[in-house]
């Protein structure tokens, strides 16, 4: 037999759960053990612990759940509870790349050794700028250079002596003229034992100081001697070049030997190939640039320094980094520009700065997904880094300054476990839109927003309140106060047998109730204080409700509460105002007439209805089509399924008990 409407009516006592004070196991919260850990989330905690402990690739964790359920608290506690004595991660340093200055070179050193390299290279730079020039002017090296120069002079004299003797017999001489860095040897005639430029010889003839025969003699023999001088000159150039090379080689070998001996201790202390390679490049660069200076010499401290961007301690545990502003720069790092009096200077290795991903290398990075996706480019950069395992520090876009920031540091191999905390909707969107997401975030720690309303759940509430009171040094709750807080948790859950797990809202009510107790100089927080806090919370968000009540009082909105009208029922519209949910009465009307439009939802057509209303409308429409088993298609227009049922009672004859139940339920 179908039940009547009266049988289906929910009794008033069942509409609200009352917490019996006898269910509270404590007289005051002073007897309760404060909260330790996260309550009633065993599945989420187990998943989180697995994701943090496993070393498998792609086992990053997405902690899914509404805010206020203790998501971030559980993440912090779970990470701190781990055995974080992981393999030591290296110190990361960047140095100048001599072959590609726009690609700074990465040097990775055992933890704690980055400072030793930085100190050693700083001392080396000081030696290069101050001590090395003095050492190259020492007596042994100068003596060797003088010996080479003496040998070169001897070879030159041996080559030029025969020619010079013949020139002297012919009244001529070799004269070397220095023209800047270049010297040139010329043949000059001798006048009264002194060399005279050939161009002045005719002038002296006109002045009577030189005879015509002397001029003719010079002009007749000059071409032959000039040819012999050119032949000798080629050999002289080779001898001089050979001498310069010998002297330069002496300086190079001396400098290389001094630098190698100076770097020997640093090589022994830091035996990594990357360090040895960099020291060799420094020595080559010193010999190439500082012993053969062509332009202004760079500061050795800047050119041969070390930028230690991440330093680890040998005793350091796996790092835990919680990035609250996960922008592209804060995640990846950046390359800062240098500024001089003339403006921005080109960036180099010294401007590289580490981001959260590198600081968390070997450990754990905690991110809020809402903050992450709000930062342009940050999410894609994170996923790319996790997919490749390589961190590329990308300089930011600087508009017209970008040419100065075109530096691409060498990528860094990193191993980091990311814990992303977010809501269910964002999780579904990322899973649907990004194919990398499901591959890189394989562990889901799902938070429930409810806990069971039983003795254990009540004890949980007492533990939460006790923890809040201890942290904020607030007065204790008595038994009635705890009962009122628990009732409010049941009201927020709005589901039989459940309490809300959004302890953030419970904490807010507890703090405000404690404030009211302090204002009244009461030693304990009672149920009246809790109810007063709830009322104050509702009052602060009640402006929409008050405005609606004013419209009803003024008759602007009329809501019939008695009688019956065909095609009209009263409904309830639900809206949210912050944490408060309100139900507003609404009149739902419907008409029916001939046509082919079928069911018409005016609210939906006008784009004014919510998803729940539209879904309910279509469900009722389908229900009526099932219940009204007509033998021919019905062509009518309707804005609500209840009106169809109302009209069907007058036009259709049916004995279907389900239809009578529907009719009785909607009060046709």
């Amino acid at each position: 037999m179908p039940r009547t409407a009266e049988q289906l009516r929910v009794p008033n006592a069942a509409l609200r759960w009352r917490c019996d004070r006898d269910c509270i196991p404590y007289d005051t919260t002073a007897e309760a053990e404060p909260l330790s850990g996260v309550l009633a989330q065993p599945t989420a905690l187990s998943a989180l612990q697995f994701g943090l402990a496993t070393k498998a690739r792609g086992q990053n964790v997405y902690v899914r759940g509404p805010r206020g359920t203790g998501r971030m608290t559980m993440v912090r506690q779970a990470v701190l509870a781990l055995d974080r004595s992981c393999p030591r991660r290296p110190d990361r340093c960047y140095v100048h790349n001599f072959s590609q200055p726009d690609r700074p070179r990465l040097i990775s050193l055992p933890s704690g050794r980055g400072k030793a390299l930085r100190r050693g290279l700083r001392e080396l730079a000081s030696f290069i700028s101050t001590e090395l020039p003095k050492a190259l002017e020492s007596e042994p090296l100068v003596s060797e250079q003088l010996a080479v120069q003496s040998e070169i002079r001897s070879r030159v004299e041996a080559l030029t002596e025969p020619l010079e003797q013949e020139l002297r017999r012919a009244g001529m001489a070799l004269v070397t003229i220095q023209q800047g860095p270049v010297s040139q040897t010329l043949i000059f005639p001798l006048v009264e034992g002194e060399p005279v430029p050939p161009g002045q010889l005719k002038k002296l003839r006109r002045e009577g100081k030189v005879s015509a025969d002397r001029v003719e003699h010079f002009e007749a023999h000059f071409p032959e001697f000039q040819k012999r001088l050119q032949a000798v000159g080629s050999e002289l150039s080779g001898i001089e070049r050979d001498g310069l090379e010998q002297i330069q080689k002496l300086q190079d070998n001396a400098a290389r030997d001094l630098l190698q001996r100076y770097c020997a201790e640093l090589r022994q202390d830091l035996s990594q190939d990357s360090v040895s390679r960099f020291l060799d490049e420094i020595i080559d660069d010193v010999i190439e640039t500082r012993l053969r200076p062509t332009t202004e010499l760079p500061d050795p401290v800047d050119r041969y320094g070390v930028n230690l961007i991440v330093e680890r301690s040998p005793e350091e545990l796996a790092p835990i980094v919680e990035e609250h502003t996960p922008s592209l720069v804060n995640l990846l790092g950046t390359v800062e520009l240098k500024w001089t009096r003339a403006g921005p200077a080109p960036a180099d290795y010294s401007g590289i700065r580490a981001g959260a991903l590198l600081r968390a290398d070997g450990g754990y990075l905690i991110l809020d997904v809402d903050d992450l996706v709000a930062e342009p480019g940050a999410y894609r950069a994170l996923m790319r880094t996790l997919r490749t395992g390589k961190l590329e520090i990308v300089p930011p876009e600087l508009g017209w300054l970008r040419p100065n920031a075109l530096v691409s540091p060498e990528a860094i191999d990193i191993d980091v476990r990311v814990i992303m905390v977010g809501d269910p909707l964002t999780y579904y969107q990322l899973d649907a839109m990004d194919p990398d997401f499901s591959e890189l975030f394989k562990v889901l720690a799902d938070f429930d927003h409810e806990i069971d309303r039983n003795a254990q759940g009540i004890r949980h509430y007492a533990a939460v309140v006790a923890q809040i009171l201890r942290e904020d040094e607030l007065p204790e709750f008595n038994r009635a106060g705890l009962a009122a807080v628990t009732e409010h948790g049941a009201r927020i859950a709005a589901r039989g047998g459940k309490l809300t797990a959004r302890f953030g809202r419970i904490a807010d009510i507890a703090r405000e109730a404690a404030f009211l107790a302090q204002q009244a100089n009461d030693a304990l927080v009672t149920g009246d204080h809790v109810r007063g806090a709830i009322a104050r919370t509702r009052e602060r968000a009640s402006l929409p409700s008050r405005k609606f009540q004013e419209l009803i009082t003024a008759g602007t909105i009329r809501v019939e509460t008695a009688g019956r009208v065909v095609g009209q029922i009263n409904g309830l519209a639900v809206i949210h105002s912050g944490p408060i949910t309100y139900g507003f009465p609404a009149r739902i009307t419907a008409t029916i007439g001939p046509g082919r439009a079928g069911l018409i939802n005016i609210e939906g057509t006008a784009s004014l209805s919510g998803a729940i209303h539209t879904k309910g409308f279509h469900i009722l429409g389908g229900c009526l089509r099932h219940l009204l088993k007509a033998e021919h298609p019905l062509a009518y227009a309707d804005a609500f399924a209840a009106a169809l049922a109302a009209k069907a009672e007058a036009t259709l004859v049916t004995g279907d008990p389900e239809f009578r139940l529907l009719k009785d339920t909607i009060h046709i």
Side-chain angles (χ1 to χ4, degrees):
M1 290 294 294
R3 290 178 292 176
T4 64
E6 188 61 32
Q7 291 174 329
L8 294 173
R9 191 181 302 277
V10 179
N12 293 337
L15 295 177
R16 176 176 179 179
W17 174 74
R18 295 286 186 178
C19 180
D20 191 344
R21 295 185 184 182
D22 295 336
C23 296
I24 306 297
Y26 314 109
D27 290 330
T28 69
T29 48
E31 303 173 7
E33 187 70 23
L35 171 68
S36 58
V38 178
L39 297 175
Q41 302 289 351
T43 304
L45 180 59
S46 175
L48 179 60
Q49 290 172 340
F50 164 73
L52 296 178
T54 184
K55 302 301 180 184
R57 178 178 172 82
Q59 301 294 332
N60 298 292
V61 184
Y62 189 101
V63 179
R64 184 176 72 180
R67 293 186 181 274
T69 54
R71 304 172 305 176
M72 195 64 75
T73 300
M74 187 181 76
V75 169
R76 296 189 186 106
Q77 293 175 348
V79 174
L80 290 173
L82 287 173
D83 178 11
R84 291 163 44 221
S85 56
C86 65
R88 297 174 183 173
R89 301 301 292 173
D91 289 355
R92 306 291 190 175
C93 310
Y94 275 104
V95 295
H96 180 68
N97 189 336
F98 297 97
S99 59
Q100 292 181 286
D102 62 334
R103 299 277 297 176
R105 178 174 296 152
L106 174 70
I107 294 181
S108 298
L109 297 172
S111 55
R113 303 301 293 155
K115 281 185 177 179
L117 178 63
R118 183 171 59 186
R119 181 175 59 254
L121 290 181
R122 188 183 295 120
E123 294 172 354
L124 175 61
S126 177
F127 173 79
I128 291 171
S129 61
T130 59
E131 301 299 326
L132 182 61
K134 298 177 183 178
L136 294 178
E137 296 175 358
S138 63
E139 180 62 30
L141 181 60
V142 172
S143 299
E144 291 183 17
Q145 292 176 352
L146 291 175
V148 171
Q149 291 173 355
S150 177
E151 180 187 353
I152 296 301
R153 282 195 300 269
S154 299
R155 293 174 61 186
V156 169
E157 291 174 358
L159 181 64
T160 60
E161 182 63 26
L163 178 61
E164 287 181 346
Q165 290 179 1
E166 293 184 28
L167 286 171
R168 278 195 297 271
R169 287 193 293 267
M172 303 179 195
L174 292 176
V175 177
T176 301
I177 299 176
Q178 192 72 28
Q179 296 177 341
V182 179
S183 62
Q184 185 177 12
T185 301
L186 302 174
I187 299 176
F188 279 21
L190 294 175
V191 178
E192 296 179 357
E194 296 294 330
V196 176
Q200 294 185 7
L201 194 60
K202 292 183 179 181
K203 179 181 177 182
L204 295 174
R205 168 70 183 84
R206 288 192 300 269
E207 294 175 353
K209 296 180 179 181
V210 176
S211 66
D213 293 339
R214 180 77 180 84
V215 174
E216 291 177 1
H217 180 270
F218 174 76
E219 291 179 347
H221 292 84
F222 177 79
E224 180 183 352
F225 283 118
Q226 183 67 29
K227 291 180 181 179
R228 292 182 60 184
L229 177 61
Q230 290 176 353
V232 171
S234 298
E235 296 184 36
L236 285 176
S237 298
I239 293 173
E240 292 176 354
R241 186 167 54 252
D242 184 53
L244 291 175
E245 289 178 355
Q246 290 185 46
I247 293 174
Q248 190 66 60
K249 188 174 181 180
L250 284 174
Q251 289 185 331
D252 291 353
N253 291 339
R256 188 178 298 277
D257 182 62
L258 288 169
L259 291 172
Q260 290 286 13
R261 281 187 283 138
Y262 192 91
C263 294
E265 183 178 352
L266 187 58
R267 291 181 192 271
Q268 185 176 2
D269 187 32
L270 299 170
S271 58
Q272 286 71 27
D273 292 340
S274 57
V275 175
S276 181
R277 177 186 175 191
F278 184 60
L279 291 175
D280 290 340
E281 290 179 347
I282 289 178
I283 294 173
D284 292 340
D285 186 72
V286 169
I287 293 172
E288 184 67 29
T289 61
R290 304 194 74 81
L291 300 187
R292 302 175 179 84
T294 56
T295 58
E296 183 179 354
L297 295 177
D299 187 349
V301 175
D302 293 337
R303 191 169 180 84
Y304 309 134
V306 172
N307 180 9
L308 179 58
I309 62 172
V310 171
E311 180 184 3
R312 307 288 191 192
S313 170
E315 296 79 23
E316 182 179 352
L317 298 176
I320 302 172
V321 178
E322 188 173 338
E323 181 57 58
H324 299 287
T325 310
S327 63
L328 191 61
V329 168
N330 289 347
L331 274 181
L332 300 184
T334 186
V335 181
E336 296 178 352
L337 292 178
K338 288 184 175 181
W339 291 87
T340 64
R341 293 182 178 179
D348 59 15
Y349 75 93
S350 62
I352 301 173
R353 299 291 179 266
L357 277 167
L358 188 54
R359 295 197 308 273
D361 183 25
Y364 308 92
L365 176 61
I366 304 173
L367 300 172
D368 187 293
V369 68
D370 292 335
D371 296 334
L372 178 66
V373 298
E375 297 289 345
Y379 174 78
R380 289 309 322 159
L382 173 66
M383 301 303 285
R384 181 176 62 249
T385 302
L386 294 178
R387 185 180 67 251
T388 62
K390 292 184 177 294
L391 172 64
E392 297 182 6
I393 299 178
V394 182
E397 293 288 345
L398 297 175
W400 64 276
L401 293 175
R402 179 164 174 75
N404 293 299
L406 291 178
V407 176
S408 301
E410 185 178 344
I412 306 173
D413 292 329
I414 64 170
D415 180 16
V416 61
R417 184 54 44 89
V418 177
I419 304 100
M420 197 181 294
V421 181
D423 59 280
L425 178 59
T426 306
Y427 175 86
Y428 295 130
Q429 290 174 337
L430 294 177
D431 188 52
M433 296 167 52
D434 184 6
D436 290 334
F437 181 77
S438 59
E439 292 299 319
L440 297 174
F441 285 85
K442 296 181 178 180
V443 180
L444 174 62
D446 218 353
F447 267 67
D448 195 350
H449 65 282
E450 298 172 338
I451 64 175
D452 290 334
R453 194 172 69 199
N454 51 24
Q456 183 65 25
I458 294 173
R459 283 194 294 272
H460 286 338
Y461 264 58
V464 169
V465 174
Q467 179 67 21
I468 295 167
L469 302 182
R470 303 293 190 279
E471 291 177 351
D472 297 352
E473 299 181 354
L474 299 174
E476 304 291 343
F477 278 55
N478 66 7
R479 192 185 298 267
L482 282 173
V485 169
T486 309
E487 284 183 15
H488 188 60
R491 186 181 304 112
I492 295 173
R495 185 180 171 200
K498 297 293 182 179
L499 297 171
T500 183
R502 297 186 179 185
F503 294 112
R505 294 183 62 178
I506 300 302
D508 294 338
I509 292 298
R511 292 188 180 99
E512 187 162 356
F515 168 78
L516 294 178
Q518 290 174 325
Q519 292 291 100
N521 294 323
D522 292 334
L524 295 174
V525 181
T526 67
D528 291 337
H529 296 134
V530 174
R531 286 185 286 272
I534 296 171
R536 285 160 58 96
T537 302
R538 186 181 296 113
E539 180 66 22
R540 287 193 291 269
S542 65
L543 182 59
S545 176
R546 294 200 306 270
K547 292 296 183 182
F548 192 86
Q549 291 173 2
E550 290 175 3
L551 293 175
I552 294 177
T553 302
T556 305
I557 296 177
R558 296 181 60 187
V559 179
E560 301 291 345
T561 59
R564 295 184 180 183
V565 179
V566 174
Q568 177 178 314
I569 61 173
N570 290 336
L572 198 64
V574 179
I575 68 168
H576 297 273
S577 178
I580 307 301
T581 302
Y582 290 103
F584 291 98
R587 179 185 298 172
I588 303 172
T589 59
T591 58
I592 189 170
R596 297 185 178 181
L599 295 171
I600 299 176
N601 178 8
I602 295 176
E603 292 282 331
T605 304
S607 301
L608 297 177
S609 65
I612 295 177
H613 171 84
T614 303
K615 180 180 179 181
F617 174 83
H618 289 299
I619 290 174
L620 286 175
C623 177
L624 289 173
R625 288 187 178 91
H626 172 71
L627 296 177
L628 301 176
K629 297 179 176 60
E631 296 179 356
H632 56 83
L634 296 178
Y636 52 82
D638 193 353
F640 186 65
L644 175 61
K647 190 67 176 178
E649 183 181 34
T651 58
L652 298 176
V653 178
T654 177
D656 192 335
E658 294 183 0
F659 178 73
R660 287 201 302 272
L661 175 59
L662 175 65
K663 176 192 68 174
D664 294 338
T665 302
I666 61 177
H667 305 294
I668 296 179

